[in-house]
Amino acid sequence: MQVVGGATIKEHYWALSYSWGQSGEIINLDSKKSKRLDEGQHTLVSKPCADRETEKTQVKFERLIQQMCMDFNIGYIWYDQKCIDQDDDDEKLREIKNMHKIYENARCTLVLIPELKVATSTANINAIPESNWSKRMWTLEEAYVSKSMLFVGQNAHLWSDGGVQVQGPTKYAKFLSNIR
């Protein structure tokens, strides 16, 4: 994965929305600074083929994002850890002020919800409002300004195109109807 200048991109990009804790262990350096330690605790599961069985591989967060980009045919993805110099306080402040534009201008927002999974024959969409992702103020803004969202869980994904609309008596419907 490499960083490219935004002005050089001739096609749409996607934005990534997730809880920082998903990307590795957060280590507080002092009261204002922290860093992320990624020891490769993310599991990639390969699909079984005629000549091989399902394989599980432990990978780092960046490799997980690369695989999702390949799986969903995403050419360019913006995410804070890669696109913002985490050691440059001035750059971080500048970019935080533009976060709404980043998500608003993205073709789609890829939302990571590890709590989302299919246990029987349907996905538990109530996992979304109960997830760590939905408890962050940043992600509320990211969801509000996104044109569409792809929620990706452990073994399921849900698509929301052209705004979030869910019907039915679920916590998910109430949560997302309050966003728009």
Side-chain angles (χ1 to χ4, degrees):
M1 190 173 286
Q2 67 181 44
V3 176
V4 296
T8 65
I9 298 174
K10 301 278 191 266
E11 60 187 79
H12 295 282
Y13 69 94
W14 288 46
L16 179 65
S17 182
Y18 66 102
S19 291
W20 244 53
Q22 293 172 320
S23 63
E25 182 182 354
I26 306 301
I27 299 172
N28 292 319
L29 302 174
D30 59 38
S31 62
K32 294 183 179 182
K33 290 209 178 246
S34 60
K35 72 175 188 173
R36 183 183 59 87
L37 178 62
D38 186 353
E39 295 182 341
Q41 299 300 313
H42 307 282
T43 305
L44 277 181
V45 179
S46 66
K47 295 179 184 176
C49 298
D51 60 338
R52 75 166 197 260
E53 294 183 29
T54 301
E55 292 179 12
K56 292 183 178 183
T57 308
Q58 296 299 116
V59 297
K60 292 189 175 196
F61 186 70
E62 186 173 305
R63 176 68 184 98
L64 182 72
I65 300 308
Q66 288 172 329
Q67 186 62 49
M68 285 185 209
C69 288
M70 288 187 286
D71 290 347
F72 294 108
N73 199 26
I74 299 169
Y76 295 96
I77 191 161
W78 182 95
Y79 76 100
D80 57 356
Q81 291 180 41
K82 197 71 174 171
C83 298
I84 300 173
D85 181 351
Q86 299 299 312
D87 295 323
D88 185 336
D89 291 335
D90 292 334
E91 181 178 339
K92 281 172 60 173
L93 183 60
R94 231 180 9 259
E95 292 300 316
I96 286 170
K97 290 179 181 178
N98 289 312
M99 289 294 222
H100 66 285
K101 292 178 187 175
I102 291 166
Y103 286 87
E104 187 175 49
N105 293 327
R107 169 177 272 172
C108 185
T109 299
L110 180 66
V111 181
L112 302 185
I113 308 281
E115 298 89 342
L116 177 63
K117 59 185 167 187
V118 175
T120 56
S121 61
T122 59
N124 177 14
I125 61 171
N126 289 329
I128 296 172
E130 296 167 1
S131 69
N132 287 329
W133 173 84
S134 69
K135 295 174 182 153
R136 292 180 52 232
M137 187 53 107
W138 291 114
T139 56
L140 178 63
E141 177 188 11
E142 293 163 5
Y144 183 76
V145 300
S146 294
K147 294 175 188 158
S148 60
M149 293 182 284
L150 175 60
F151 295 91
V152 177
Q154 287 183 31
N155 63 354
H157 62 275
L158 301 170
W159 183 260
S160 165
D161 193 19
V164 178
Q165 296 184 2
V166 176
Q167 297 178 346
T170 66
K171 293 177 188 175
Y172 177 69
K174 183 177 179 184
F175 169 76
L176 292 174
S177 65
N178 290 331
I179 292 175
R180 291 268 179 204

